[in-house]
Amino acid sequence: METDLMALVGVWCAATLRSATPLIFVTLGESLGQRTGIINLGAEGEMLVGALAGFAVATQTDSASLGLLAGALAGGVLSLVHSALVLAARANQIASGLAVMIIGIGLTSYIGRAFVGKKVSSLDNLLPSGGEALAFFGPFLQQTTLAGPLAIAAAAFISWWINNTRSGLHWRSTGESAEVTLSNGINPIRIRFYAITVGGLLAGLGGAILSVDYTQTWAQEMTKGRGLIAVGLVIVAGWRPALVLPVCLFFGFTEAAVFKLQAMGITFSSHLLSTMPYVTVILVLIFAHLRARKSSQMPNDLKAVFQ
Amino acid sequence: MTETPARAAPFASLLGICKSFAATCAVDDVSIDIYEGQVLALLGENGAGKSTLMKLLYGVHEPDRGKIIVDGPGENPISSPLDAMRLGIGMVFQNFALIPALSVRENLLLAWPDTPVVIKKIKPQNDPVLKKLYEIAPQIDPFQKVGSLSVGEQQLVELCKILNLSTRLVILDEPTSVLTPAEAERLHGFVRSLAENGVGVVFITHKFSDVKACADRIAIMRRGQLIEDVEAQSIDHDGLVRAVMGTDATSRADPPGPPKSDQPRLQIRGLSAHSRNEVLEDINLNIASGEIFAIAGVSGNGQSLLAEVVAGVHQLDDGDVLLDGTSIARHASAQIMKPHVAYIPEAPRINGCVEDLDLGLNLALRDLSTVGTKPLANVRAELEKFDVRPPDPAKKAGDLSGGNLQKLVIARELADYGKAVLAVYPTMGLDIEATKAVYARIFSMAAAGAAVLWISEELDDMLESAHTIAVMRSGHIVEQFKNSHHLTRQKIGALMTGAHDA
Amino acid sequence: MKAWISSVGAPTALTCAAFTLVTAVFFISIGQPAIKTIADMMVFAVGDSYSLSETLVKTIPIMMCALATAIPGRLGLISVGAEGQLHVGAIFGTAVMLVLPESFGLLGLCLVLVAAAIGGTLFGFIPGVLRVRLGINETITTLVMNYIGVLFVSALVYGPWRDPANQGWPATKSFPEDLILPFFFGTRVHAGLVIAIGIAVLLHLQFHRGTWSRQIKVLSGNRKVGETFGLNYAFTALLLMCLGGAVAGLAGIFEASAIQGRLQPGLSAGFGLTGFLVAWLSRHEPLMIVPVSFLVAGLISAGDALQLFAKIPAASSTILQGLLFATALAVPGLIKRYRGRYGN
């Protein structure tokens, strides 16, 4: 009985982590950008481009990991548009992000038509078979791929890096005041460029994990606003990469729960159930704002674009 | 005091420097040498061009004409502050280049050239980046956020940041304007010890007390020109005053007569309020018709919040503000108050105008909430009356200089006689003439029966003109006096800092 | 050259030129003859009366969504919620249609329109109230609520509102003729066009004349100063968010009733986002929105036609919209840099 319960917990944890993994990467990337004072609504488009590129490469090469690499690169390349508009042409960040998002949606539905209906094989599970004896870890590892632990490691690393290194300090100070940062001989434009690019790479990677490793299909606009949700979750996490992890896992849990409910044959409108993530993000935003009242952790330079 | 080092060669030489902004000539053909190991006080009124001259040396601006030679005859061009820093010049601005959200140590690490790639936690005593901080200000906790420090402490952190760069010349831009008298005294001592250790110091100021306390040499600027450049011993107080003000310097505005009645007109009763960084607790004030009531205090002790509550901008938690018996305070955030008092806010660029809109609309803001009002017809006349330059109604408020913007706000708020005036640092950024005009206007409004609440740091002006002076500290009114000859700068200063508690 | 580049029209002219160039590069990169395809697009957009009418049909929802964005935009709010408001407006309007007895006449039509406006208002009110009471950024909430609005439509037409007569097709029953706006000259262009232009003119007057327009200018320039002088930012923001929602809601019912004839999935071909683009290109000026939305609608209907005749996927028009947006954002900034470098 007890082992059954542990197994069930293992399955739920695996499902939660798998559905949260793409979101963790995107949200980490977005939080890095926002820490340097850049908001990027284009994360949605970068994620889509990453999902398609990853899926395409994975079907052609039969290698999921190559697919993930391609996805990350594609996201990084699209993010150059945001960099060019925001840093070189000093365009409004929100408008620029939406332009990137529209380009991403257009490009992927243009190219993606050829890939609808194809299948890929995901990353290998961490534990191929056997191991049922391990109460919790057996079921958990059987349904987990390398992507999940990688996401956790990425969150841990980024969180350490931004708080304990010279470059991390430079990034934080850029987000607080580009002017003061410049007066200290550090080029904030270069740092913001790095941050947007890393954000694009992570969004692309998240998208690729979504299409290659998680759903294993390609569909038009399959990210369904995850890139936009990520922007909201950064606020909920209070711009701290360490908190991105629990926030995204909570999100993954609600998504996994919706799937499990549907699988259990709940006769409730699937469309209404699908509104869950969006309703959830608004509710957690309300909760976070009620708690903090005024978001004092917000990087100071971000306040100018984004109150 | 040691003899100033041999004048072998100046560390920096400015030769025939000119700099104009738009039509105004800020620095007009100035030549001056700056030496290591010497404190040079750069003295002058607001707008005399002192800061601009030093910003030219520091690479913030580039001169239109003239030459800057630093550290010997070699070519050392300065085109940005980074160049200046490389040559050993550091400048402490009035707005500190610090990041409030980061800790003291992180701020120091940002500027330090030897910051390691991975920042480890080191015992503060052994941390090389904190060495200077321990020498100057051991009381500051290096892990505290800079935003939670007092202004004086922040200034010390800024100074440490610059000294960490093995600086040979430190430029201080009006450093004592944000300090309490006690903090200023400590800074004077510190500046002296810097000079004794061979560092050159340029001390920009408009206060004679700074000059007397620590200058070796005095340079005086007026209207962009260098008027005097003398050894400190060779000029007396009167000479300084003449040089700074010019020969035609006139006295201040005539102080107003005593209030006609003691019937309270503006009343603050049991007021409590809070904002993100200030609190007010149980403030009680009564200001009679015709009374000029001054509040002294180190900025950040609740004066800004008090002003915004009285102006009906900020919500109060408890108590009330009454004008002739009617409440004028904002009791809930949803409650919007019409403007009842003439309000000259601090930082008028942020609090007193809409930068993107033209002067005409900015002058008409008081009538804005009344539906059906027409734009002012005689905008130009109004602008000229208060000497706003240029008096062009179509110009945007954001294009005005700080002083002219202040005059614009004053033109709007003090154009008509009202029941109450709330003036927060009303003369900040104004030259002598304009200052005199503003005081005259406020005093005449008091004479006509207005209750005046005057928040300021200009203790001398308060002692000369206010009927009542209250001192504010940590959100409380600590003491309130009827103005008389017995009241001194020192007494008020001690109350402002809480020195009498010790 | 230097004098010209400082002129007022330079950014617009250069943006158009740059966008033509970008479009040409795009067509070449997908292996199409650039000049011919661009010429084809113009023909497909406005070349004959049918093309023109199809472009006008698309102009209506785009113009309405652009106005819906521009209304809160005047206060500096960045609402991207027209898509969701459009869907909820359609739901509310359709709900009235479903409960009204047959042949209710003009009153019925008015009720449907009012209901649609109320639905849109609701979806503008929620992000508005979150913004003014809690300070939650309206851009994020409106973007996320778009998905909710679309899913609500699906939930209804796949669920309780599905008309059995449709043989499984997820749609409500058809709108009766008297609840549909009149059409012009037998085309699909309906009276919504007049309403949209009327709203644009009305907004232009409101935003450029009178006390209210000055109040909005002050509040959008400096909220704190506005409040110092007795203006109510929260109320104004909420009102504008609601008004914007109402206009988008009307667009929704226009599409459902006049264009599609019933409520069904695929109500909007991304009109909300396109409207946002148009509002931004028009700098939130209602009168600019009228021609700009026509041009962008031309771009989209040309994209549809290209798919039909040249086998170029219709998604190309989405890409072109994105590129247009990017160009329009880039050019003014680059001009400013150029001016800065060479001194005024």
Side-chain angles (χ1 to χ4, degrees):
Chain A
M1 183 60 210
E2 198 159 287
T3 50
D4 280 359
L5 186 67
M6 289 304 283
L8 191 66
V9 173
V11 169
W12 273 86
C13 285
T16 298
L17 181 58
R18 276 200 94 146
S19 96
T21 302
L23 200 58
I24 293 173
F25 281 113
V26 188
T27 313
L28 280 176
E30 183 70 27
S31 70
L32 281 176
Q34 292 198 18
R35 276 311 276 267
T36 68
I38 298 284
I39 182 165
N40 187 0
L41 293 171
E44 176 75 6
E46 290 158 13
M47 216 184 160
L48 270 174
V49 169
L52 179 61
F55 189 81
V57 169
T59 50
Q60 301 299 313
T61 63
D62 251 341
S63 160
S65 20
L66 272 183
L68 299 192
L69 192 66
L73 286 177
V77 169
L78 186 60
S79 78
L80 295 178
V81 177
H82 194 54
S83 292
L85 290 177
V86 167
L87 302 179
R90 309 233 175 96
N92 179 291
Q93 297 186 11
I94 288 176
S96 164
L98 287 169
V100 171
M101 176 172 115
I102 298 175
I103 293 174
I105 292 174
L107 276 179
T108 51
S109 39
Y110 189 98
I111 303 168
R113 301 187 319 154
F115 293 91
V116 174
K118 291 203 175 161
K119 284 288 283 179
V120 285
S121 44
S122 68
L123 291 170
D124 295 331
N125 289 330
L126 292 178
L127 196 66
S129 62
E132 278 82 358
L134 301 158
F136 169 80
F137 289 103
F140 177 75
L141 292 177
Q142 275 175 359
Q143 297 188 23
T144 307
T145 66
L146 192 61
L150 197 65
I152 296 175
F157 173 76
I158 289 174
S159 175
W160 172 83
W161 169 81
I162 202 151
N163 286 314
N164 293 289
T165 65
R166 183 175 65 195
S167 42
L169 179 61
H170 290 178
W171 284 41
R172 281 185 286 147
S173 99
T174 301
E176 292 293 340
S177 167
E179 206 185 331
V180 171
T181 306
L182 184 63
S183 78
N184 284 318
I186 304 154
N187 184 347
I189 303 285
R190 188 187 302 155
I191 285 176
R192 286 179 169 164
F193 172 68
Y194 292 155
I196 294 173
T197 310
V198 170
L201 291 171
L202 288 174
L205 178 61
I209 289 171
L210 180 72
S211 65
V212 175
D213 193 51
Y214 184 47
T215 65
Q216 294 160 34
T217 54
W218 162 255
Q220 264 192 36
E221 295 187 46
M222 67 178 298
T223 51
K224 292 186 191 147
R226 279 184 178 80
L228 303 171
I229 288 174
V231 180
L233 292 188
V234 171
I235 301 170
V236 175
W239 292 272
R240 275 169 294 192
L243 288 187
V244 164
L245 198 59
V247 168
C248 289
L249 283 174
F250 169 72
F251 224 77
F253 175 76
T254 60
E255 200 178 52
V258 168
F259 272 122
K260 296 271 176 204
L261 285 177
Q262 281 172 327
M264 279 154 66
I266 299 281
T267 56
F268 190 66
S269 165
S270 68
H271 294 104
L272 281 186
L273 276 179
S274 305
T275 61
M276 274 285 286
Y278 313 111
V279 175
T280 311
V281 76
I282 291 176
L283 290 180
V284 290
L285 270 173
I286 294 173
F287 176 74
H289 278 78
L290 276 177
R291 205 189 32 159
R293 205 60 205 184
K294 284 280 173 199
S295 31
S296 52
Q297 293 117 347
M298 182 185 263
N300 204 38
D301 266 16
L302 204 58
K303 287 175 188 157
V305 265
F306 186 73
Q307 308 122 336
Chain B
M1 225 179 270
T2 50
E3 198 66 19
T4 39
R7 296 292 163 78
F11 173 69
S13 298
L14 288 80
L15 301 171
I17 300 290
C18 294
K19 178 70 186 176
S20 300
F21 296 105
T24 42
C25 184
V27 174
D28 186 6
D29 192 22
V30 172
S31 298
I32 192 167
D33 290 336
I34 296 163
Y35 298 89
E36 288 176 272
Q38 186 191 55
V39 180
L40 169 69
L42 194 51
L43 192 65
E45 282 289 313
N46 285 322
K50 320 177 291 280
S51 294
T52 309
L53 183 68
M54 285 301 118
K55 282 180 183 167
L56 289 164
L57 173 59
Y58 191 57
V60 176
H61 307 301
E62 285 194 63
D64 299 335
R65 255 180 298 138
K67 205 167 170 192
I68 298 175
I69 299 165
V70 178
D71 199 14
E75 279 293 304
N76 286 320
I78 297 179
S79 58
S80 77
L82 293 182
D83 293 335
M85 275 188 240
R86 221 168 290 134
L87 293 169
I89 304 173
M91 184 158 175
V92 178
F93 292 95
Q94 279 170 291
N95 307 329
F96 307 134
L98 295 173
I99 294 176
L102 299 182
S103 73
V104 171
R105 181 170 180 251
E106 284 171 326
N107 268 290
L108 292 175
L109 284 168
L110 260 183
W112 198 40
D114 303 327
T115 303
V117 174
V118 174
I119 300 168
K120 293 202 186 69
K121 298 227 162 30
I122 309 173
K123 249 187 161 173
Q125 291 82 352
N126 304 332
D127 196 343
V129 76
L130 297 179
K131 196 164 157 269
K132 289 276 189 235
L133 185 74
Y134 265 83
E135 287 171 22
I136 303 173
Q139 78 279 11
I140 295 178
D141 172 9
F143 299 104
Q144 209 178 351
K145 292 237 163 88
V146 163
S148 66
L149 299 178
S150 76
V151 182
E153 288 171 324
Q154 291 188 19
Q155 192 179 54
L156 292 176
V157 174
E158 179 82 10
L159 207 51
C160 288
K161 205 175 96 177
I162 282 164
L163 294 174
N164 267 346
L165 301 171
S166 51
T167 306
R168 295 164 66 189
L169 173 66
V170 175
I171 305 166
L172 302 167
D173 189 5
E174 304 262 4
T176 50
S177 65
V178 291
L179 300 184
T180 63
E183 281 175 327
E185 237 167 76
R186 199 164 45 191
L187 182 77
H188 293 147
F190 184 69
V191 163
R192 286 286 354 135
S193 75
L194 270 183
E196 275 150 31
N197 290 323
V199 178
V201 180
V202 176
F203 199 117
I204 303 173
T205 184
H206 65 270
K207 294 184 180 169
F208 297 135
S209 56
D210 291 337
V211 179
K212 281 175 203 147
C214 61
D216 293 320
R217 198 172 124 220
I218 300 170
I220 297 167
M221 287 186 74
R222 199 167 70 223
R223 296 185 182 176
Q225 287 172 326
L226 189 66
I227 302 296
E228 289 274 12
D229 182 358
V230 294
E231 295 299 317
Q233 301 92 324
S234 61
I235 189 163
D236 61 355
H237 183 86
D238 290 342
L240 280 179
V241 175
R242 262 196 309 279
V244 170
M245 306 279 186
T247 45
D248 56 344
T250 44
S251 67
R252 295 158 204 262
D254 299 330
K260 293 181 199 86
S261 76
D262 49 5
Q263 186 67 30
R265 182 147 217 190
L266 184 64
Q267 288 172 287
I268 299 173
R269 286 192 191 153
L271 174 74
S272 299
H274 73 280
S275 70
R276 203 179 300 178
N277 39 26
E278 287 182 316
V279 282
L280 296 176
E281 274 172 61
D282 194 29
I283 306 274
N284 287 289
L285 301 173
N286 286 311
I287 306 171
S289 170
E291 182 178 358
I292 294 173
F293 192 111
I295 293 186
V298 180
S299 74
N301 274 276
Q303 302 97 312
S304 317
L305 182 58
L306 178 66
E308 293 201 343
V309 171
V310 173
V313 182
H314 201 285
Q315 179 189 353
L316 52 71
D317 297 332
D318 200 14
D320 210 346
V321 181
L322 304 174
L323 180 63
D324 285 341
T326 327
S327 173
I328 57 167
R330 192 172 176 181
H331 291 267
S333 71
Q335 186 188 7
I336 300 291
M337 301 305 299
K338 289 206 173 357
H340 289 280
V341 299
Y343 175 38
I344 302 165
E346 69 175 316
R349 205 172 280 284
I350 306 165
N351 298 321
C353 75
V354 185
E355 286 197 272
D356 285 342
L357 298 180
D358 61 45
L359 301 188
L361 191 44
N362 269 293
L363 264 188
L365 287 178
R366 284 188 75 85
D367 302 322
L368 198 65
S369 58
T370 329
V371 181
T373 50
K374 291 203 171 59
L376 283 180
N378 50 352
V379 176
R380 181 175 286 273
E382 203 70 8
L383 292 172
E384 275 165 359
K385 187 170 146 199
F386 284 88
D387 193 31
V388 179
R389 280 179 240 173
D392 175 2
K395 203 144 184 90
K396 287 194 172 147
D399 295 337
L400 294 184
S401 70
N404 281 302
L405 200 64
Q406 183 74 310
K407 290 187 223 162
L408 175 80
V409 171
I410 286 159
R412 179 181 67 219
E413 300 297 325
L414 304 186
D416 297 323
Y417 288 96
K419 291 178 180 171
V421 177
L422 169 58
V424 189
Y425 313 124
T427 57
M428 194 169 268
L430 298 183
D431 57 25
I432 307 170
E433 282 302 309
T435 300
K436 192 181 156 197
V438 168
Y439 282 144
R441 186 76 196 159
I442 292 177
F443 298 159
S444 77
M445 290 185 78
V452 177
L453 179 57
W454 175 21
I455 294 173
S456 178
E457 283 173 345
E458 306 282 350
L459 297 188
D460 294 335
D461 292 357
M462 287 183 179
L463 286 167
E464 191 164 300
S465 321
H467 299 120
T468 314
I469 298 178
V471 178
M472 197 163 182
R473 193 174 77 238
S474 315
H476 295 271
I477 298 289
V478 281
E479 197 83 71
Q480 182 178 326
F481 305 96
K482 284 275 160 226
N483 197 359
S484 70
H485 304 299
H486 306 300
L487 205 53
T488 60
R489 237 189 115 84
Q490 283 68 26
K491 190 167 180 185
I492 295 176
L495 282 168
M496 279 163 66
T497 54
H500 72 303
D501 290 346
Chain C
M1 178 69 188
K2 271 186 209 166
W4 180 77
I5 210 151
S6 305
S7 66
V8 189
T12 314
L14 279 177
T15 302
C16 292
F19 178 59
T20 314
L21 197 70
V22 168
T23 310
V25 170
F26 170 70
F27 282 130
I28 291 168
S29 69
I30 61 169
Q32 300 289 337
I35 295 170
K36 182 182 175 301
T37 316
I38 292 176
D40 282 352
M41 283 184 78
M42 291 190 180
V43 173
F44 290 139
V46 293
D48 53 66
S49 61
Y50 175 76
S51 305
L52 184 63
S53 78
E54 280 309 294
T55 297
L56 283 174
V57 165
K58 289 203 168 56
T59 305
I60 301 167
I62 292 173
M63 199 191 299
M64 299 282 277
C65 287
L67 293 171
T69 309
I71 294 171
R74 299 296 299 202
L75 197 63
L77 296 168
I78 304 181
S79 161
V80 204
E83 187 81 2
Q85 292 154 358
L86 179 150
H87 279 82
V88 175
I91 290 175
F92 273 57
T94 307
V96 170
M97 179 272 281
L98 291 173
V99 299
L100 276 186
E102 288 289 319
S103 68
F104 218 70
L106 190 61
L107 179 63
L109 177 62
C110 290
L111 281 178
V112 167
L113 295 184
V114 168
I118 290 173
T121 302
L122 181 72
F123 249 45
F125 175 80
I126 295 170
V129 89
L130 292 179
R131 166 66 201 248
V132 300
R133 300 298 296 176
L134 291 175
I136 301 179
N137 180 272
E138 71 284 356
T139 312
I140 292 178
T141 44
T142 49
L143 275 167
V144 168
M145 283 176 68
N146 286 341
Y147 292 89
I148 299 177
V150 174
L151 282 166
F152 277 172
V153 169
S154 301
L156 286 168
V157 298
Y158 280 96
W161 284 7
R162 165 142 58 182
D163 189 19
N166 291 333
Q167 292 153 355
W169 177 250
T172 62
K173 71 172 187 180
S174 297
F175 274 79
E177 221 160 272
D178 55 352
L179 295 188
I180 301 176
L181 288 169
F183 294 95
F184 292 117
F185 321 114
T187 63
R188 300 206 298 154
V189 184
H190 52 85
L193 185 63
V194 180
I195 297 179
I197 294 175
I199 293 175
V201 172
L202 210 67
L203 287 174
H204 173 81
L205 295 176
Q206 279 300 324
F207 287 142
H208 288 276
R209 254 159 243 187
T211 316
W212 199 51
S213 79
R214 265 178 280 148
Q215 292 179 344
I216 290 175
K217 274 184 202 156
V218 168
L219 280 173
S220 90
N222 189 331
R223 171 182 177 171
K224 192 174 175 187
V225 168
E227 292 192 323
T228 304
F229 292 103
L231 304 185
N232 194 332
Y233 179 86
F235 175 77
T236 313
L238 202 53
L239 181 69
L240 292 180
M241 285 297 286
C242 288
L243 273 179
V247 173
L250 281 177
I253 198 63
F254 290 172
E255 287 302 290
S257 65
I259 303 302
Q260 309 204 329
R262 56 200 169 176
L263 188 63
Q264 58 189 21
L267 176 66
S268 152
F271 294 133
L273 214 48
T274 305
F276 181 86
L277 160 69
V278 168
W280 201 276
L281 292 179
S282 317
R283 295 188 198 93
H284 299 143
E285 284 295 344
L287 283 191
M288 273 290 282
I289 285 174
V290 176
V292 174
S293 50
F294 177 73
L295 291 177
V296 174
L299 182 71
I300 294 172
S301 50
D304 290 351
L306 280 181
Q307 174 160 19
L308 224 56
F309 300 111
K311 300 281 174 280
I312 301 173
S316 62
S317 70
T318 310
I319 300 178
L320 286 178
Q321 278 182 60
L323 292 175
L324 172 59
F325 202 174
T327 314
L329 287 170
V331 169
L334 293 176
I335 290 177
K336 211 178 264 173
R337 276 190 96 149
Y338 175 89
R339 281 181 195 163
R341 190 167 308 162
Y342 297 99
N344 292 321

